[in-house]
Amino acid sequence: MDTARTGRSSWLYATSYVAGSLLCGLAFVATGGAHHGFDLPQSAVSNIDERELAFFGWYALWGSLSTLCLTRALVLTRLPEALLAAFARATRSPARSAGFAAALMLCAALLARAYVLHEQPVTDDESTYAFEAQTLLHGRVLNPAPPDAALYWNQFIVVREHGWYGQYPVGHPLLLAAGEALHLRRLVVPLIGALTLLLSFAIGRRFFDAQRGLLAVLLLLASPQFVLTHATQLSQPSSTLCMLAGLWAVLHLVDEPRARWSALAGVAFGLGVLVRPMPGVLFVGVALLAGSVALWRRQPRPTLALSTRLLLSAAPGLALGAGSLLWVNHAQSGAVATTGYLTLHGSYGAFSTNGQAIANSLGAALLRQSFWLFGWPCSLVFVPFARPRQNAWLLWGLVLADYAYRILVPKTVFATTGPIYVFEAVPLLALLTADGVRNALRRVEQAPRTRVRAQFASAMLAASVVGLLCFLPVQLRVLVTGSATRERVYQLLARAGAKRALVFANELVLAQRAVTWAYWPPNPSPSLDEELIFVRLPPGAHGLLAAYGFWQHHYPDRRAFLYRDTLGGVRFAELTADQPPSQSATSDDLPAAPTPATTR
């Protein structure tokens, strides 16, 4: 009788705490009503927009209160024990569990790409990477300039008399090109995410143990930043994979000083430099310094001859990455030190002495990652408790190197899928969190308390549920709005029955809408043979007439369309061969599109 009464009392208390958690969630939603519904703009370049700051502030308050209430409710049930038992069963065959999680990761990224992004990019960088991948498949790094080259100019694209190429290094496009050759380019980055997850487990098992490695894998699988970024075609996932592969090789090298591990580390870090040079160089520096210290601390210490052999074994891979970077620069610009980025922008924006810019860059990265990492109201809460027993400088050094990049090249920019410029740190932070949870648990277990493990499991589960219901919907709405706005031109072309078409468009999404960082049309392939070819609308008072002439001269076998996004709505029209525009016609004369414009 007493047991039944106690059980009813526990469920009553649990229900009341769940109600409190829901009320906090409703308060968060209601607060958003005073801040444009937390409709986060994608426009700030050098700082975080006030609406994003308001979102983080209110989510930290109401999300934390909601998490505390839900944690208390879960502790009063048997669910935490069930979760702990399931995790214990998973750790009996941790490698198989990690493989299953990697398969789930691949599916999650593909689903997010199809149903959240609708196959649309989140930044114009992705279109540039695709163009560079197609260029590499033609066996070159520089395309001949097309006729009327100015009309093919695009964001992050160099198109001049001497050639046509993208501004970015070719490391990531090389991986995309492999997928392009198999007609599976969109599968490349999600597959990289699955491999990254497996590598994180392997590294966690070496740094800590299989249990903490598996916990890190589960945290990554629940990370909005990790999953959503792998739904894009950005280069940061490739950089992360290279860094982790190099770290895994260095850990093997410390345990077993052999040339093969040194060579593998050199190849991995060398490719990382070719993918993203600045963080790649920082990662190489950390690996050389911390790896050397770890080697000299082991017993027996490596001899000078062995150390030299190991260093020479790493050199070819590093030289190949750096040499390829310089060779591509020379092939494209005629100077080994002049990249496409430098050609377009004139500067890398590195080594700035502007204290405000540096503070905004570093502060924005830390602030955003403290929410985006796991979607929790405070995702970094367990990181300070991490205490790697060996090779600690190697793990912490790579994290610090990623954040040092925010100081050396200060940028705030966008966080559509999380703070993209510190994405490489995400798997490392998951590993540190997994170790931090274990260490925090041990400290608390020394106190006279019961059900400590259940409380920790409840807190992590509660934070994930709150993130899923409060944090993630706001971010997904931003992504869906941006992809839907960009998708309008394709819907209009499909409605017009255009299968092979030339489309004149300066922007697919007006920048003032602040709904996406993918404003520009996609680049046409270097072979100019795809279904839809986007070019710029010729400037000047006679732009429409010039567009008609360009169409008739270069693409007479295609239908031609004009597209403009304005604050007043979308303008869309088809050119007809027997009715050229008048000399006085401008793009302002285009008729309104048959579908209403998507607005914020």
Side-chain angles (χ1 to χ4, degrees), residues 137-371:
L137 282 179
H138 285 82
R140 59 196 183 213
V141 296
L142 179 69
N143 300 295
D148 293 310
L151 298 191
Y152 294 88
W153 182 78
N154 208 338
Q155 182 85 300
F156 310 135
I157 291 292
V158 180
V159 53
R160 298 181 179 177
E161 291 183 359
H162 72 281
W164 186 23
Y165 58 98
Q167 72 169 20
Y168 293 117
V170 298
H172 180 60
L174 273 172
L175 300 178
L176 294 180
E180 185 83 28
L182 300 172
H183 304 287
L184 295 172
R185 174 164 52 87
R186 288 173 175 80
L187 187 63
V188 170
V189 180
L191 187 58
I192 285 173
L195 294 174
T196 297
L197 209 149
L198 291 175
L199 263 178
S200 299
F201 169 73
I203 291 169
R205 186 160 56 178
R206 282 197 161 267
F207 264 115
F208 308 112
D209 54 37
Q211 190 177 49
R212 275 171 281 189
L214 184 58
L215 178 57
V217 163
L218 296 177
L219 289 171
L220 288 175
L221 191 59
S223 167
Q225 185 179 3
F226 190 77
V227 174
L228 290 175
T229 303
H230 281 102
T232 71
Q233 295 189 67
L234 292 168
S235 64
Q236 280 78 7
S238 296
S239 175
T240 304
L241 182 65
C242 292
M243 181 267 291
L244 289 179
L247 173 59
W248 181 75
V250 170
L251 291 175
H252 276 279
L253 178 65
V254 172
D255 291 340
E256 185 184 3
R258 293 193 177 184
R260 62 184 180 186
W261 297 120
S262 181
L264 179 59
V267 170
F269 282 116
L271 180 58
V273 170
L274 190 59
V275 172
R276 293 186 60 79
M278 176 55 82
V281 168
L282 294 176
F283 295 149
V284 169
V286 169
L288 286 174
L289 181 61
S292 299
V293 170
L295 274 172
W296 278 94
R297 283 181 174 177
R298 74 185 305 275
Q299 296 296 332
R301 289 184 178 181
T303 63
L304 181 60
L306 176 60
S307 300
T308 303
R309 187 162 66 251
L310 294 177
L311 189 61
L312 291 176
S313 298
L318 294 172
L320 181 62
S324 298
L325 188 69
L326 298 177
W327 176 80
V328 170
N329 290 343
H330 184 270
Q332 291 176 341
S333 67
V336 294
T338 303
T339 63
Y341 191 100
L342 194 61
T343 300
L344 279 179
H345 304 283
S347 169
Y348 297 110
F351 308 110
S352 171
T353 58
N354 186 328
Q356 182 178 354
I358 294 173
N360 283 342
S361 174
L362 185 59
L366 282 168
L367 178 64
R368 284 167 167 164
Q369 199 150 54
S370 66
F371 296 97

Side-chain angles (χ1 to χ4, degrees), residues 462-474:
S464 297
V465 170
V466 170
L468 183 66
L469 297 179
C470 294
F471 179 83
L472 194 58
V474 174

Side-chain angles (χ1 to χ4, degrees), residues 86-146:
F87 183 71
R89 288 194 297 271
T91 55
R92 292 172 189 169
S93 54
R96 182 183 301 175
S97 299
F100 181 68
L104 288 179
M105 170 62 210
L106 178 62
C107 294
L110 290 173
L111 288 172
R113 179 163 187 83
Y115 295 104
V116 176
L117 301 183
H118 298 286
E119 303 294 340
Q120 297 298 319
V122 297
T123 74
D124 290 316
D125 307 65
E126 295 179 67
S127 179
T128 306
Y129 290 129
F131 175 78
E132 292 182 358
Q134 293 163 341
T135 299
L136 292 171
L137 282 179
H138 285 82
R140 59 196 183 213
V141 296
L142 179 69
N143 300 295

Side-chain angles (χ1 to χ4, degrees), residues 329-452:
N329 290 343
H330 184 270
Q332 291 176 341
S333 67
V336 294
T338 303
T339 63
Y341 191 100
L342 194 61
T343 300
L344 279 179
H345 304 283
S347 169
Y348 297 110
F351 308 110
S352 171
T353 58
N354 186 328
Q356 182 178 354
I358 294 173
N360 283 342
S361 174
L362 185 59
L366 282 168
L367 178 64
R368 284 167 167 164
Q369 199 150 54
S370 66
F371 296 97
W372 268 102
L373 183 60
F374 305 125
W376 299 350
C378 187
S379 293
L380 298 175
V381 63
F382 290 111
V383 171
F385 293 97
R387 297 289 187 274
R389 293 188 301 272
Q390 55 184 355
N391 304 320
W393 279 109
L394 190 56
L395 182 56
W396 283 107
L398 291 172
V399 173
L400 293 175
D402 209 23
Y403 276 94
Y405 176 42
R406 297 295 81 241
I407 297 174
L408 296 176
V409 187
K411 292 180 182 179
T412 303
V413 198
F414 66 96
T416 308
T417 61
I420 192 67
Y421 291 122
V422 287
F423 180 80
E424 289 92 342
V426 169
L428 305 178
L429 291 173
L431 290 168
L432 290 169
T433 297
D435 186 51
V437 169
R438 171 65 68 86
N439 292 329
L441 183 61
R442 285 175 176 171
R443 290 188 180 188
V444 176
E445 282 180 335
Q446 294 173 2
R449 295 187 180 183
T450 59
R451 301 191 67 194
V452 176

